[in-house]
Amino acid sequence: MEAVSENRCFGGVQGVYRHPSGVCGCDMTFGLFLPEEAEAGPVPVIWYLSGLTCTHENAMVKAGAQQWAAEQGVALIFPDTSPRGEGVADDEMYNLGTGAGFYVNATQDPWAANYRMWDYVAEELPRLLVNAFAIDEERQSIMGHSMGGHGALTIAMAYPGRFSSVSAFAPITHPSESDWAKKPIHAYLGEGQVDWTRHDACLSLRANGFAGPMLIDQGTSDQFIDALMPEALAAAITETRHPGTVRMQKSYDHSYFFVSTFMEDHVAFHAEALYG
């Protein structure tokens, strides 16, 4: 593993690292913030999964999460959103290919060779982090934005007991019923071959539940709100009587201005669950 950069940040270290991925068949890059407490031993960790067109860098630079993570003594992990590099398939559409892995394991050509972001985020990268850094694998939480919110919710529900809490900013909540979100997932997995219980947060919550608390923030002026379908997730939370909170934030859009505004709330929400 190569350290691309390491910078002092709020008493801790914000690093960027590159490593060969056996799952994705290419080099992958991720950001990792370790608070000062990590110098003394393993610390709890919050995963942040980013949205369409993002790399590991967008949230790392724009979300303002490090300040709040340092205050709470938790680590932050910023994975990339897709495989990248020479020979990796891409598409001219922004919601397919590079920057748009949708956190699934592709089975269709040309995507199947590299686009295995579910296994990368849920299996390969966690093992690497625990072995290489002061990360407490028993205390993990997960959050994400947009496509990353979809990934955070579905992965959290698929791994019972792994994550203490889950949250999302403007997540894609119900892709099986959203034509816009359905198309790229069909491209990766094949139309008629998608296990929607695994890759649709509303269906997964009804089928699998989630043991911890859930926090969702959605801007009312989000230009993608009709495709995101926050009302569907609110209905699933109500029907399952899950301890979840959906907050409709007046006049906020889909940008990192929205994410950074409520980041302190989300980090504190996860820290409370992680420290019990």
Side-chain angles (χ1 to χ4, degrees):
M1 184 166 56
E2 173 192 359
V4 178
S5 64
E6 290 180 328
N7 299 97
R8 202 70 178 168
C9 181
F10 292 103
V13 176
Q14 175 61 64
V16 176
Y17 305 92
R18 183 182 298 116
H19 69 101
S21 167
V23 167
C24 295
C26 63
D27 285 350
M28 295 293 289
T29 303
F30 64 91
L32 171 64
F33 172 74
L34 288 172
E36 188 174 10
E37 288 83 349
E39 297 174 10
V43 295
V45 63
I46 302 172
W47 291 77
Y48 183 99
L49 305 187
S50 291
L52 287 167
T53 75
C54 291
T55 69
H56 68 281
E57 189 176 36
N58 295 71
M60 187 180 79
V61 173
K62 297 180 180 180
Q66 291 90 342
Q67 176 182 354
W68 313 121
E71 287 190 6
Q72 300 289 352
V74 299
L76 296 167
I77 301 168
F78 305 97
D80 203 345
T81 56
S82 77
R84 300 173 191 269
E86 186 177 353
V88 175
D90 196 7
D91 191 272
E92 62 183 11
M93 295 297 293
Y94 79 98
N95 62 344
L96 185 64
T98 301
F102 270 87
Y103 304 99
V104 302
N105 289 335
T107 59
Q108 305 299 299
D109 291 334
W111 315 108
N114 303 102
Y115 284 75
R116 301 187 61 81
M117 291 303 295
W118 179 287
D119 280 355
Y120 177 70
V121 169
E123 301 290 345
E124 185 179 41
L125 188 54
R127 289 194 297 267
L128 174 68
L129 290 165
V130 169
N131 289 332
F133 300 97
I135 298 295
D136 185 348
E137 65 178 327
E138 299 300 321
R139 292 187 292 171
Q140 300 186 54
S141 290
I142 191 167
M143 63 176 164
H145 174 222
S146 193
M147 177 185 73
H150 148 79
L153 291 166
T154 55
I155 289 173
M157 294 173 198
Y159 289 84
R162 178 184 293 190
F163 299 102
S164 300
S165 51
V166 62
S167 74
F169 302 91
I172 299 170
T173 70
H174 201 17
S176 65
E177 295 298 324
S178 170
D179 289 340
W180 174 84
K182 187 187 301 182
K183 289 178 181 178
I185 296 178
H186 278 165
Y188 290 132
L189 300 177
E191 190 168 356
Q193 300 181 53
V194 182
D195 179 0
W196 285 116
T197 301
R198 184 179 178 89
H199 295 300
D200 183 306
C202 294
L203 300 182
S204 187
L205 184 61
R206 291 186 174 97
N208 303 319
F210 178 68
M214 181 185 303
L215 173 63
I216 309 295
D217 274 315
Q218 171 65 60
T220 62
S221 295
D222 190 320
Q223 60 270 44
F224 304 110
I225 194 168
D226 290 339
L228 301 173
M229 300 180 67
E231 67 282 354
L233 184 58
I237 290 172
T238 301
E239 290 170 21
T240 58
R241 299 179 180 179
H242 185 83
T245 300
V246 178
R247 307 191 303 189
M248 302 300 294
Q249 303 291 1
K250 185 178 180 180
S251 301
Y252 282 90
D253 58 18
H254 200 73
S255 70
Y256 268 97
F257 295 109
F258 158 63
V259 172
S260 61
T261 298
F262 300 103
M263 180 57 70
E264 180 182 8
D265 291 356
H266 283 245
V267 173
F269 166 79
H270 290 301
E272 182 176 359
L274 289 165
Y275 283 109

